[in-house]
Amino acid sequence: MVMPNAQRVIVVGGGLAGLAATVRIAEQGLPVDLFSMVPVKRSHSVCAQGGINACNEVARQQGYSEYQHFDETIYGGDYLADQGPVLEMANWAPRVIDLLDRMGVPFNRTSEGRRDLRLFGGSLFKRTHFSGATTGQQLLYALDEQTRRYEAQGEVTKYESWEFLAPIMAGEGDDRRCVGIVAQDMRTMQIRSFRADAVIMATGGCGLVYGKSTNSVICTGGAASRCYQAGAWYANGEMIQVHPTAIPGADKCRLMSESARGEGGRVWVPRKQGDDRKPSDIPEGERWYFLEEKYPKYGNLVPRDIATREIFDVCVNQHMGVDGENQVYLDLTHMDPEYLTRKLGGILEIYEKFVGDDPRFTPMRIFPTVHYSMGGLWTQHTPGSYRPDTQHGDHQPGWQAPIGTEPGMGMQVGAPNNMMTNIKGLYAFGEVNFAYHGATRLGANALLSCIFDGLFCGQGVARYVKEHEPAEKPSTAMEASLFDSAASAEQTKADNLLATVGKGKESPETNPYVIGRELGEEMTAACTVVKTGERLGTCTSKLAELRERFERVRLGDAATWTNQSLSYTRSVGDMILLAQVIAKGSLERQESRGSHYRLDFPDRDDSRFLKTTIVEYHQGDADEHRLSWGDVDTSLVKPRPRTYGKVDAKADTKPDKEAEPASTT
Amino acid sequence: MTTQASSAPVVKAAKTRTIRVRIKRCDGPAKAQRWETFKVPVGAGANVISVLQTIGANPVTVDGTPTTPVVWDSGCLEEVCGACTMVINGKTRQSCSCLMDVFCPNEGDEITLEPMSKFPIIRDLWVDRSRLFDSLKRVKAWVPIDGTYDLGAGPTEGPKQSELRYTLSTCMSCGCCLEACPQFNLETDEREWDTAFIGAHAISQARLFNDHGTGKQLKGDRLDALMGEGGVSDCGNAQNCVKVCPKEIPLTESIAAMGRATTFHAIARWFQSND
């Protein structure tokens, strides 16, 4: 007999999304097994700096609303996100902030003791809550603490230093569902299966596909790729965010938060090409504040894809970079150093530690780098109660929102399919799904989407487990052979990789680290700021070459104990497949939208491409990564041109009043 | 396009040079440690991470012997996750922020990497710091909220108070304060963890939560834990912890504050028991 409490949920990944889900589900009385490659307190969410967006009382009295937060997110994402989930997220944002506040997050405070706010990209209202310049760290720690509380009570079991290898599926056709995972202990190298009635992937992004990015070393996208190879669909893979301001480095590129600009930081280069004076010796009139000049309204706070393209254009096309290099100034030196320390201490310290200059007194030198994946595992949801007869156009501040903020307007509360992949019982939360950010993510919306997923959609997972298939046929009652064979398949793959040690001659051709580096260089060159059909064609061939070489890969370590080379090499194979998906979407989307810019198709083309790219894996087929186009739900906000009031330098056109979202003035 | 690769504006001493890296290696628990030395070419902006990555791609020691890639722990590489802590030239610190332009600016300069000694070795430079997280349970380092449903905002607090809590809350559980502490010793037997010295980081976390409007509900429990064996009175006042903390957390102030609090707590308890 199966006891009701034999039901379990597995969460893979211990960042904000995974921990929020863990706490929410444990709270519903379901035991959770939490898997992470690192102690969860060291997850990549710790790197998030700037803040978390939510409508608040001050902004509200200036005419802002949850609805406008929603509108900004949709406009920022160039209409590619389904609108229901985004509406629900924006509506919940103030409640998410309140909850984090109750958990003890040390948000920056005003003199009256209330939560302080800052300006962020894509908005003219202060709606970003923050904790110094290490907001992600502080939010992660709060959720880590709550998770530890449940762990101490025995309701959460952590499997830290365990790597997810594959989902386990039972049944065929409509009955096919996820009933567990195979994982490997990264210390003992033991591979085993774990049963669960639902599995939540909260494994973050795939920055390592690009070699150097702002991501942590664990963000390979390997887990997402393994789900993709097991039949989960991957959507909008081509939508990769390149962050405008990072410090290039030998091992990675370190993020310099958008909050530096939110607090008043200005981006500029000398007006005279090759001007080699010290920045402080260059008078105001001889500095080119190109973002402020081109975007008088948003200035330095245009969305990231736009800032990135402008910086790229100034450096790469116009050769106006500082000292003739690919770098521009991000300048805070006009501001009070004490104020900067209080608001931005964490990131200023990073710059000082890794570059050696103090940004309070010397302008920082920065350049764009890969930062975030808007695309990810395709997920579904149950639409909320609000279904308009007509779409709404420009929303202005102070206008009454056409929709209330009651729970369930955008996405149904507790629906079991919220953020479920195309595979029943397999969910994707946080950065690893494609749901909230369309073609560009606005700054300070990532932390929100991760925590919102965990809390809001975690509820649906609990309902799925308690009321749907798992209630009838729990995974604990299934044949052991199903789980054993899944584990032994992964064991065989690992053994095969180990067997390559010492086989043949050492050569860069088959060295996993060399293959990984070439992959990163190729993807950075072909699939980031500016893409062309021709270059993507070359990229496709290069990826095929890397894949062929990977078939012959030669591992450098035969250890059966703590073999990091095995783990890395396995992920290189998975990254190549994911890179192929990203390149495929980039090639097929013959338009420019948000972060995806095609030089050969520079305009947005709603008639053909206001669609989601959905890629499905068919191993061994000629068309292995099969791409189809999914409809996008634009039922609430009508698409309008996304110009952010750009002033055309050539013509004397005024900022396009109709085209931009609402402003305070 | 060539983004980062060609552009590194980073550090001043930019010349390419070859440095020597001595690494204390170990194949696993209960295995003997041994030294291996590598010659590694480095350029501008190199750090211990990029050096270990270079060795990993071609692991051959200085005398030409092929070996295995070095195992080490790392994560964010921007000194905010705490993972890559190790002992470098005899001092505990994060390896990501250890720049070769500072540590090995000249041709032939040498650097020494060792695993932390107060935690069991897993392999090479990777140690098992589970005990560190376990001690956070010991002091109930959390706010006991009534669940995750929307119940309005938390308690308000002034900017000074929130800035202090922020500073305490930047502790990334890296373990530097424990590695440097003469009272904190390697303890492989988990059963001893609850009575061995807990260390500065957990004492400071107890202070963090005792200072929060709701967190202080568990103040008594935390002080009870810190009054017991291995608690705050085991601190020998060497003050090494505060010197090595990469986040400059005022650990000795936290220890003093919790020392006082346990004294008051003990007196209050004595009066209660004599009612």
Side-chain angles (χ1 to χ4, degrees):
Chain A
M1 197 184 96
V2 178
M3 304 294 289
N5 68 2
Q7 289 188 312
R8 302 187 80 80
V9 173
I10 281 178
V11 175
V12 184
L16 290 175
L19 295 184
T22 297
V23 172
R24 179 47 72 89
I25 290 166
E27 197 174 84
Q28 319 250 324
L30 281 170
V32 177
D33 295 320
L34 174 59
F35 289 78
S36 170
M37 293 174 74
V38 294
V40 293
K41 194 176 175 177
R42 311 202 196 284
S43 301
H44 179 62
S45 302
V46 84
C47 288
Q49 299 173 342
I52 175 166
N53 294 332
C55 181
N56 56 81
E57 289 318 305
V58 177
R60 195 186 301 284
Q61 289 164 47
Q62 296 169 347
Y64 197 68
S65 60
E66 285 85 349
Y67 186 80
Q68 197 166 345
H69 180 193
F70 155 70
D71 185 88
E72 285 168 356
T73 305
I74 293 295
Y75 178 76
D78 227 346
Y79 300 92
L80 197 57
D82 283 325
Q83 297 188 354
V86 178
L87 174 71
E88 196 66 26
M89 174 177 81
N91 280 351
W92 279 87
R95 298 174 197 139
V96 168
I97 303 291
D98 276 349
L99 170 63
L100 295 164
D101 194 21
R102 281 170 51 223
M103 287 178 180
V105 171
F107 285 115
N108 274 51
R109 299 278 170 172
T110 63
S111 56
E112 199 185 321
R114 297 176 193 281
R115 294 176 304 230
D116 203 358
L117 298 159
R118 67 164 49 128
L119 213 50
F120 237 77
S123 185
L124 297 165
F125 291 86
K126 284 193 179 180
R127 46 104 162 104
T128 304
H129 303 70
F130 62 102
S131 208
T134 63
T135 311
Q137 176 195 47
Q138 293 305 312
L139 303 194
L140 180 71
Y141 289 1
L143 287 163
D144 173 64
E145 289 147 11
Q146 294 302 320
T147 303
R148 187 166 292 105
R149 186 180 167 206
Y150 282 104
E151 188 194 10
Q153 292 166 15
E155 283 141 21
V156 170
T157 310
K158 279 186 192 155
Y159 292 87
E160 290 173 327
S161 301
W162 280 77
E163 183 175 3
F164 166 87
L165 299 185
I168 300 175
M169 251 64 95
E172 292 297 327
D174 283 352
D175 286 337
R176 189 164 190 258
R177 65 186 168 105
C178 181
V179 293
I181 67 166
V182 182
Q184 180 167 34
D185 185 328
M186 296 163 73
R187 295 150 301 185
T188 66
M189 305 311 281
Q190 180 199 12
I191 291 177
R192 58 161 287 205
S193 62
F194 295 84
R195 298 174 187 231
D197 295 301
V199 172
I200 299 168
M201 302 304 295
T203 51
C206 57
L208 270 273
V209 167
Y210 289 83
K212 287 191 269 182
S213 70
T214 63
N215 288 190
S216 295
V217 298
I218 43 176
C219 304
T220 61
S225 177
R226 287 160 204 165
C227 291
Y228 167 69
Q229 290 167 65
W233 302 342
Y234 203 88
N236 291 341
E238 66 277 15
M239 294 303 174
I240 295 286
Q241 177 162 87
V242 179
H243 196 289
T245 60
I247 325 164
D251 52 341
K252 80 170 292 193
C253 298
R254 294 174 178 87
L255 177 65
M256 212 23 69
S257 169
E258 188 168 300
S259 56
R261 284 171 285 142
E263 295 291 356
R266 304 176 75 185
V267 172
W268 63 278
V269 291
R271 280 201 185 271
K272 202 178 96 208
Q273 199 171 23
D275 190 337
D276 58 1
R277 286 175 291 175
K278 278 201 325 207
S280 53
D281 293 343
I282 301 178
E284 192 70 10
E286 295 173 40
R287 300 172 175 194
W288 185 24
Y289 295 100
F290 53 92
L291 288 174
E292 296 171 32
E293 198 173 291
K294 288 184 185 169
Y295 300 89
K297 196 159 214 168
Y298 287 84
N300 294 290
L301 287 173
V302 285
R304 291 170 178 176
D305 57 310
I306 295 176
T308 290
R309 275 194 295 276
E310 297 292 354
I311 293 171
F312 189 81
D313 181 57
V314 162
C315 293
V316 178
N317 300 332
Q318 303 188 44
H319 306 288
M320 291 291 288
V322 177
D323 293 339
E325 303 270 356
N326 283 337
Q327 53 188 2
V328 300
Y329 288 128
L330 170 56
D331 196 346
L332 288 164
T333 57
H334 54 289
M335 301 183 66
D336 171 23
E338 264 177 49
Y339 175 88
L340 292 174
T341 306
R342 210 163 55 241
K343 296 288 178 82
L344 299 170
I347 55 165
L348 304 182
E349 212 175 88
I350 290 177
Y351 192 84
E352 209 175 341
K353 272 192 174 151
F354 287 92
V355 182
D357 290 333
D358 184 343
R360 296 167 194 85
F361 306 103
T362 309
M364 296 182 272
R365 293 162 178 240
I366 53 91
F367 197 69
T369 196
V370 168
H371 181 55
Y372 189 90
S373 174
M374 278 72 70
L377 294 172
W378 181 88
T379 46
Q380 46 188 316
H381 66 274
T382 300
S385 53
Y386 187 80
R387 297 286 92 194
D389 302 325
T390 51
Q391 286 177 320
H392 298 278
D394 314 331
H395 182 72
Q396 296 290 324
W399 287 11
Q400 186 170 3
I403 309 172
T405 59
E406 298 82 359
M409 285 288 182
M411 187 157 56
Q412 197 186 90
V413 176
N417 74 339
N418 287 341
M419 298 306 134
M420 189 189 268
T421 65
N422 57 306
I423 297 167
K424 220 184 277 176
L426 182 66
Y427 292 80
F429 289 5
E431 187 176 349
V432 77
N433 75 28
F434 87 117
Y436 299 97
H437 308 295
T440 286
R441 175 175 68 74
L442 290 189
N445 261 351
L447 303 186
L448 176 62
S449 62
C450 288
I451 299 173
F452 170 73
D453 260 349
L455 296 174
F456 186 88
C457 305
Q459 214 164 323
V461 175
R463 241 186 91 191
Y464 166 73
V465 170
K466 288 177 176 171
E467 295 173 20
H468 291 75
E469 284 91 337
E472 304 285 315
K473 283 179 273 175
S475 61
T476 40
M478 292 182 170
E479 292 285 332
S481 59
L482 173 70
F483 300 92
D484 294 346
S485 65
S488 71
E490 290 303 320
Q491 186 69 54
T492 306
K493 284 191 213 166
D495 291 345
N496 288 344
L497 273 178
L498 282 170
T500 64
V501 178
K503 237 173 151 184
K505 259 189 76 179
E506 160 65 28
S507 146
E509 272 269 290
T510 54
N511 183 314
Y513 297 92
V514 175
I515 296 176
R517 193 176 65 223
E518 287 182 30
L519 171 69
E521 285 166 1
E522 179 63 17
M523 288 301 285
T524 302
C527 281
T528 46
V529 185
V530 178
K531 306 174 190 174
T532 65
E534 196 188 344
R535 187 64 188 83
L536 288 164
T538 321
C539 177
T540 306
S541 324
K542 177 69 183 179
L543 294 176
E545 176 214 311
L546 291 174
R547 192 147 163 207
E548 185 280 323
R549 279 165 57 188
F550 185 78
E551 297 292 315
R552 298 179 281 124
V553 76
R554 190 174 172 279
L555 203 60
D557 189 353
T560 52
W561 174 268
T562 318
N563 189 331
Q564 288 180 332
S565 296
L566 172 65
S567 169
Y568 176 74
T569 304
R570 183 168 42 209
S571 74
V572 169
D574 296 320
M575 283 194 283
I576 296 172
L577 283 177
L578 209 51
Q580 289 182 317
V581 173
I582 294 168
K584 175 101 174 188
S586 299
L587 194 59
E588 302 272 318
R589 186 178 285 281
Q590 296 180 342
E591 64 156 356
S592 292
R593 182 183 298 274
S595 301
H596 171 77
Y597 179 74
R598 283 282 297 262
L599 193 60
D600 41 357
F601 298 96
D603 299 316
R604 190 174 91 188
D605 181 353
D606 285 348
S607 62
R608 289 173 67 207
F609 295 109
L610 183 45
K611 301 265 184 204
T612 304
T613 57
I614 301 175
V615 186
E616 201 180 334
Y617 186 58
H618 290 271
Q619 191 178 10
D621 270 27
D623 188 16
E624 200 173 18
H625 306 287
R626 205 174 290 168
L627 188 144
S628 59
W629 300 93
D631 289 335
V632 180
D633 166 18
T634 55
S635 56
L636 301 177
V637 184
K638 196 169 80 190
R640 54 188 189 269
R642 180 178 181 265
T643 63
Y644 285 93
K646 182 176 185 174
V647 178
D648 192 337
K650 287 162 205 134
D652 63 338
T653 47
K654 292 209 176 77
D656 180 357
K657 283 254 158 31
E658 284 77 39
E660 57 189 300
S663 72
T664 44
T665 48
Chain B
M1 117 192 193
T2 54
T3 51
Q4 316 87 12
S6 63
S7 59
V10 189
V11 182
K12 288 111 201 177
K15 63 177 190 296
T16 306
R17 61 213 179 269
T18 301
I19 62 164
R20 289 166 66 89
V21 186
R22 284 182 77 221
I23 303 175
K24 198 188 245 181
R25 305 200 55 180
C26 175
D27 290 338
K31 301 270 173 66
Q33 286 180 302
R34 64 178 191 281
W35 288 96
E36 281 181 0
T37 305
F38 301 86
K39 270 191 186 168
V40 184
V42 295
N47 57 2
V48 167
I49 303 294
S50 67
V51 162
L52 289 171
Q53 284 171 342
T54 306
I55 294 173
N58 182 28
V60 179
T61 67
V62 73
D63 49 16
T65 317
T67 180
T68 51
V70 179
V71 170
W72 86 101
D73 198 4
S74 65
C76 73
L77 311 187
E78 46 198 59
E79 209 192 68
V80 73
C81 82
C84 68
T85 312
M86 56 183 76
V87 178
I88 299 174
N89 290 351
K91 196 185 158 210
T92 177
R93 60 167 298 152
Q94 279 70 55
S95 54
C96 63
S97 58
C98 180
L99 305 182
M100 290 307 102
D101 291 317
V102 177
F103 277 70
C104 296
N106 303 308
E107 179 73 25
D109 282 352
E110 187 173 279
I111 189 167
T112 303
L113 312 179
E114 295 170 79
M116 297 169 89
S117 64
K118 303 288 178 75
F119 300 97
I121 293 184
I122 297 171
R123 189 179 166 190
D124 292 340
L125 302 170
W126 187 13
V127 296
D128 180 357
R129 282 172 279 181
S130 319
R131 179 179 166 196
L132 205 155
F133 296 109
D134 188 76
S135 56
L136 296 178
K137 286 186 211 156
R138 205 165 139 190
V139 294
K140 298 194 176 167
W142 53 74
V143 174
I145 57 165
D146 292 342
T148 59
Y149 290 93
D150 178 32
L151 300 171
T156 54
E157 62 179 357
K160 279 225 170 68
Q161 168 78 356
S162 101
E163 277 166 36
L164 171 66
R165 287 205 311 109
Y166 173 76
T167 303
L168 300 180
S169 186
T170 55
C171 172
M172 53 190 182
S173 301
C174 67
C176 282
C177 60
L178 306 177
E179 179 69 17
C181 173
Q183 261 62 46
F184 186 90
N185 298 310
L186 175 70
E187 188 52 80
T188 48
D189 185 351
E190 281 185 35
R191 289 166 303 182
E192 303 293 328
W193 287 358
D194 277 352
T195 49
F197 181 48
I198 194 164
H201 80 106
I203 296 171
S204 188
Q205 288 284 301
R207 180 185 178 204
L208 166 66
F209 290 97
N210 283 359
D211 275 359
H212 181 261
T214 316
K216 66 178 174 220
Q217 301 289 340
L218 296 176
K219 192 172 174 178
D221 291 5
R222 292 190 197 102
L223 295 176
D224 284 345
L226 289 182
M227 278 163 59
E229 202 182 340
V232 69
S233 63
D234 281 21
C235 165
N237 206 24
Q239 309 207 0
N240 291 356
C241 51
V242 74
K243 288 177 208 143
V244 296
C245 177
K247 297 292 125 181
E248 296 173 16
I249 297 169
L251 292 168
T252 43
E253 283 173 30
S254 291
I255 293 170
M258 289 299 95
R260 283 193 301 275
T262 48
T263 307
F264 289 129
H265 185 59
I267 295 168
R269 244 184 15 185
W270 185 83
F271 276 115
Q272 276 165 7
S273 64
N274 285 281
D275 269 353

